[in-house]
Amino acid sequence: MRPEPGSVAEADYADRRLTAGRVRLSAGTSDSRVTPTADVPGWLAAYGRAHHFRAEPIPFAGLRRWYFEPGTGDLRHETGRFFSIEGLRTSSDADPVDRVQPIIVQPEVGLLGVLAREFDGVLHFLMQAKPEPGNVNGLQLSPTVQATRSNFDEVHHGRATPFLDHFIQHPRRRVLVDAIQSEQADWFLHKRNRNMVVEIDAEVPADDSFRWLTLGQIRGLLRLDDLVNMDTRSVLACLPTAHGADDGDGDGFGSALRRSFYGDPTPRHDLHAVTSCLTDVQALRVLRQQSVPLERAYEDGWRRDGSAIRHRSGRRFEIMAVGVTAERREVASWTQPLLRPCSQGLAALVVRRIGGVLHALVAARSDVGTLNVAEFGPTVQHRAAGPDAVAVPYLDYVRAGGPDRIRYDAVQSEEGGRFYHARTRYLVVEAGPELPVDCPPGFRWATFGQLTELLAHGHYLNVELRTLIACAHAAY
C-alpha cells in the first residue's frame, strides 16, 4: 500500500522503489567487465590452491580452550564468548512429551554484510572466497563480512575483520538492506544475525579473496551445488524488488515468476491476511523451551563418547570437534565443536498460479529453538533422520513431482562455521490445478513480491525460505 503523500514513509517508499529498480538492473546483468563470469571458476580454484585450509575431525580431548563445564556438562569456550553447546528441554501442544537435546547457544548478534558499488551504472556486490571448517568443499562464495560479535571484538586475538568499519556506524554509508534475521532453529536457540547491504562510492582496496559481481552473476552461480554459501543467500534474498517495475511477457514460468516478484498483481490474500496467518499461530500454538544442563540430554537418549555426542537411535545429529589450519583467516589455527546432521535435508517450495498470478505456499513453522514460536518456512522442510516418523504435509506431493514440474533443483550447504557437511536439497515445484487452492491451517499462499516485502523486517521468513527466495530468482 502506498503511504500518505508527503509523509516520511512515502519518501522511504520512493527510495526503496528506486533501489529496487537498480537491483533489478543488476539482476539482469549476467556478465561484467569487472569480473567476467568465465573468470569466476578459475579465480576460486586458484585461490583454493594458493591458500592452505584444512579441517579434520578430532577427539574432544584435542579441543584447545574448550571444556566440558563441571556440574552441567555444557561445552564452552574459556572466554565465555563465541558459542556453547547446552541442553534444551522442549514440548508443545502437538507433542506434550518433554524432550531434551543438545543445542547451539550463541546469544551474540553476528553481522552478515555485503558491500555494493556501481560500475558502468550497474550495482556490483563484493563477494569473498571464504573457507569454513564445516563446508563439504572447503571454499564457498561468502558475504564481504561474515563475523560473530566475538570475531569483530577480536576475542580470538587474531587479525581484524576486513571492511567491518563500513557496516558499523560509518558516517557516509548508504544502507540498502538492514534487518535482523534468524538462523536454523532446529539446531540453534534463538540465533540471530544482522543482514546488511551497504552501498559505497569510493574505491576500496581488496585482496585476491574478493571479487565484485553483479546480482545476475551471483544468481547464475546459485544454479550450482555448494557454491554460494548460506549467509550470502540470506542477505541477497532481502534485497527489495520493485512492484510494478516489470510484469513480464508471455505465459511461461519465467514470465509468471517475474510478475510475482516484480509486477503488481492482485494476490489471493493481502499482506495483512498473510501476516495474520503467522500471528494466529504465534498466539495459539504452544512451544515450551527451557535451557537445562547438557547432562540432562544423556537421560533422554543421547550419549557422549570420546569423539561425539550422538543419539542412541543413530538419527538426528551429533556434536563433534574439528582441528583447523588456515593461512588467510583471522587466526592461523584453532579447534572448535561442530554439529553434524545425520542426513541430507529437503526444503521445497510449492508454487501455483492462482487467478493467473504465481503464488508460493508457505508454512508457519515452529522448531525447538524458534525465538517467537513460529516463522514462515517453505511448504516442506524435512530431514529423514528426524526424531519421529510423523506425517509431513505436502511431502508426498513434492516427492512425486516429475522433472516437468521442477523449476529449481540444487543441493546447497548450510552454515559451515557451525555445521559439518550440512547439506539441503532445495526445490521449487510448480503445481497445477490438481493441487487444491484451499490449504490446511498454518499454510498461506503469497506472491514472491509479498514475501520480499516481509524480508525488510526480521523474523517473518526462516533461513530455509530465504534461501528459496534467493534460489527462485535463478529459476528464470
Side-chain angles (χ1 to χ4, degrees), residues 70-116:
T72 66
D74 295 347
L75 184 52
R76 300 184 180 277
H77 195 265
E78 64 180 22
T79 62
R81 300 290 296 275
F82 297 105
F83 64 96
S84 58
I85 308 295
E86 303 179 20
L88 181 69
R89 175 181 285 119
T90 60
S91 62
S92 67
D93 50 350
D95 184 7
V97 177
D98 283 355
R99 301 182 188 277
V100 181
Q101 69 167 72
I103 197 85
I104 303 173
V105 179
Q106 187 173 331
E108 303 173 342
V109 177
L111 175 64
L112 307 177
V114 174
L115 285 182

Side-chain angles (χ1 to χ4, degrees), residues 125-154:
F125 302 88
L126 189 58
M127 295 287 101
Q128 179 182 182
K130 183 169 184 159
E132 291 284 6
N135 286 350
V136 68
N137 55 348
L139 196 67
Q140 295 187 11
L141 212 60
S142 305
T144 318
V145 171
Q146 179 180 314
T148 66
R149 180 64 182 267
S150 293
N151 287 147
F152 55 79
D153 284 345
E154 298 181 32

Side-chain angles (χ1 to χ4, degrees), residues 3 29 55 171 239 242 278 297 301-302 310 334 380 386 455 462:
T29 305
L239 286 166
L278 183 63
W302 295 85
R310 54 175 63 92
W334 72 91
V380 173
L455 281 172
N462 73 6

Side-chain angles (χ1 to χ4, degrees), residues 149-431:
R149 180 64 182 267
S150 293
N151 287 147
F152 55 79
D153 284 345
E154 298 181 32
V155 175
H156 47 56
H157 303 298
R159 291 189 294 268
T161 303
F163 304 110
L164 180 65
D165 59 322
H166 290 277
F167 298 91
I168 308 298
Q169 299 178 343
H170 194 283
R172 293 187 302 277
R173 70 182 185 182
R174 180 169 184 258
V175 178
L176 307 185
V177 167
D178 193 0
I180 292 178
Q181 303 286 4
S182 64
E183 295 205 3
Q184 283 88 350
D186 45 355
W187 297 332
F188 280 118
L189 178 63
H190 302 172
K191 176 69 169 66
R192 299 171 296 160
N193 272 326
R194 187 178 186 183
N195 288 232
M196 297 186 75
V197 178
V198 170
E199 185 178 4
I200 58 173
D201 296 322
E203 184 176 349
V204 293
D207 63 26
D208 62 344
S209 62
F210 294 90
R211 289 290 186 276
W212 291 101
L213 299 171
T214 69
L215 189 56
Q217 289 176 295
I218 299 167
R219 288 177 176 172
L221 296 172
L222 274 168
R223 300 187 185 102
L224 305 177
D225 292 353
D226 299 312
L227 181 54
V228 180
N229 84 350
M230 185 200 81
D231 298 314
T232 300
R233 302 190 306 262
S234 176
V235 175
L236 296 185
C238 297
L239 286 166
T241 57
H243 293 283
D246 186 349
D247 63 356
D249 294 318
D251 297 324
F253 178 77
S255 295
L257 186 58
R258 286 193 294 274
R259 285 193 294 269
S260 187
F261 268 117
Y262 298 106
D264 197 11
T266 302
R268 178 171 173 79
H269 307 285
D270 64 25
L271 195 60
H272 175 73
V274 174
T275 58
S276 287
C277 170
L278 183 63
T279 304
D280 282 344
V281 173
Q282 291 171 334
L284 300 175
R285 186 173 294 172
V286 176
L287 176 63
R288 305 178 188 90
Q289 301 165 320
Q290 180 187 6
S291 293
V292 297
L294 180 58
E295 288 184 347
R296 298 287 179 85
Y298 306 142
E299 303 169 7
D300 197 20
W302 295 85
R303 298 288 184 267
R304 172 182 147 195
D305 58 28
S307 61
I309 300 169
R310 54 175 63 92
H311 198 265
R312 65 187 175 197
S313 67
R315 302 168 66 193
R316 305 187 67 177
F317 61 84
E318 62 182 41
I319 305 298
M320 57 176 293
V322 294
V324 185
T325 55
E327 291 180 353
R328 296 292 295 272
R329 292 293 296 268
E330 293 86 351
V331 292
S333 67
W334 72 91
T335 63
Q336 69 170 88
L338 288 173
L339 184 152
R340 175 164 53 189
C342 294
S343 65
Q344 180 175 290
L346 172 67
L349 192 60
V350 173
V351 298
R352 189 194 154 174
R353 304 178 205 212
I354 303 173
V357 178
L358 191 70
H359 287 69
L361 184 59
V362 297
R365 180 179 175 86
S366 299
D367 290 304
V368 294
T370 302
L371 176 62
N372 190 26
V373 181
E375 292 184 333
F376 280 128
T379 318
V380 173
Q381 186 176 321
H382 176 65
R383 283 190 182 270
D388 294 299
V390 295
V392 177
Y394 299 104
L395 177 59
D396 290 342
Y397 182 84
V398 166
R399 285 176 169 169
D404 59 321
R405 293 290 189 185
I406 295 175
R407 305 298 179 232
Y408 176 88
D409 186 359
V411 176
Q412 302 290 357
S413 295
E414 306 305 336
E415 214 281 305
R418 297 292 175 266
F419 312 134
Y420 188 81
H421 294 186
R423 306 174 76 215
T424 303
R425 183 186 180 194
Y426 284 95
L427 291 170
V428 176
V429 180
E430 185 176 12

